[in-house]
Amino acid sequence: MRFPYQAILFDCDGVIVDTEILSSNILKRMLNELGLELDDHTMHTQFAGFTTHKNLILAESMLGKPLPDNFLNHYREEFNCAIKTDLHPIEGVRELLDAITCPVAMATNAQRAEMELKLELIGLTHKFKTRFAVDDVDQGKPAPDLYLAAANALQVSPEHCIVIEDSLAGIRAGKAAGATVLAYSDVLPADAQIEAGASATFDSMAELMVLLGLK
């Protein structure tokens, strides 16, 4: 199955850079130290893809008390330290981006400074001349704001855009924007992604290239 499109809108974490498991493990460990034990399924389905702000609100709700005042700063320090040594692009993503000839944009729930750092570390800033972070819009994913902004910047109707996502929050955002969503099923089960609104799933960037008609 191939999908028609005029532009491609990419999420960042878990799609371009291999950070979802890294950030999830740090957050899970820090919450465990506070007495909140969460399994990987919960992290991937209820935390992955949402803004850090929403994740901390959810964590406090589950914990039944406020997080320590320095929790967010501690988390960001650990995460930024980790990505400076362990950040890698998703396998095959360079080849995918080199093969794409239509306009592309990035739309991520990460803060702009974090997005810029990740792209710089993996040497892919030049591939995303149009890019939006959560601080550029009123609402992050699962609201459609980021993908609507990206499509508008490329001057392409969202209905003619393909959104590349992995998280349930991101899939819902792309769907709400009116785009066709293709989901990378590296961590989450494909059926959960389809239920969230993905039109198709893929297990590798090579498979995505087939879906996009690039090979």
Side-chain angles (χ1 to χ4, degrees):
M1 183 186 302
R2 293 184 179 180
F3 300 88
Y5 57 91
Q6 296 176 15
I8 305 175
L9 314 178
F10 286 89
D11 177 37
C12 182
D13 298 293
V15 169
I16 297 298
V17 293
D18 192 6
T19 51
E20 288 286 22
I21 294 177
L22 187 66
S23 60
S24 177
N25 286 343
I26 292 172
L27 183 58
K28 183 173 69 170
R29 176 178 53 75
M30 290 180 63
L31 292 174
N32 183 59
E33 291 171 356
L34 296 174
L36 179 60
E37 295 188 18
L38 301 173
D39 58 24
D40 288 339
H41 177 75
T42 300
M43 297 302 299
H44 297 323
T45 57
Q46 297 190 47
F47 286 84
F50 290 92
T51 63
T52 301
H53 177 67
K54 285 191 174 181
N55 281 342
L56 297 189
I57 291 175
L58 177 58
E60 288 184 332
S61 174
M62 291 179 166
L63 193 60
K65 61 181 180 181
L67 293 167
D69 291 340
N70 65 344
F71 187 91
L72 178 57
N73 287 338
H74 186 194
Y75 167 77
R76 285 178 171 162
E77 287 172 3
E78 289 216 21
F79 180 71
N80 286 337
C81 181
I83 64 174
K84 287 176 181 178
T85 56
D86 297 328
L87 189 67
H88 304 284
I90 298 293
E91 184 178 354
V93 80
R94 294 186 190 278
E95 293 79 4
L96 168 67
L97 294 173
D98 285 343
I100 293 173
T101 57
C102 71
V104 301
M106 174 171 286
T108 174
N109 253 359
Q111 296 285 326
R112 174 162 289 275
E114 185 179 305
M115 172 187 68
E116 301 290 1
L117 175 60
K118 292 169 186 171
L119 289 175
E120 179 183 353
L121 287 171
I122 63 172
L124 288 178
T125 304
H126 65 291
K127 289 293 186 179
F128 294 99
K129 293 181 173 61
T130 301
R131 50 189 186 270
F132 290 87
V134 71
D135 30 352
D136 295 323
V137 296
D138 290 334
Q139 297 184 84
K141 305 170 189 178
D145 300 31
L146 278 161
Y147 285 121
L148 291 174
N152 182 63
L154 295 179
Q155 298 184 322
V156 177
S157 169
E159 290 78 13
H160 299 304
C161 293
I162 292 281
V163 162
I164 309 300
E165 267 289 354
D166 63 322
S167 71
L168 301 184
I171 293 168
R172 291 173 185 138
K175 182 72 171 178
T180 298
V181 182
L182 306 182
Y184 182 32
S185 298
D186 179 49
V187 175
L188 283 172
D191 57 354
Q193 294 174 317
I194 295 295
E195 185 177 347
S199 294
T201 64
F202 58 94
D203 295 325
S204 68
M205 292 301 152
E207 186 177 353
L208 176 57
M209 290 180 72
V210 173
L211 291 173
L212 294 174
L214 300 175
K215 64 183 298 185

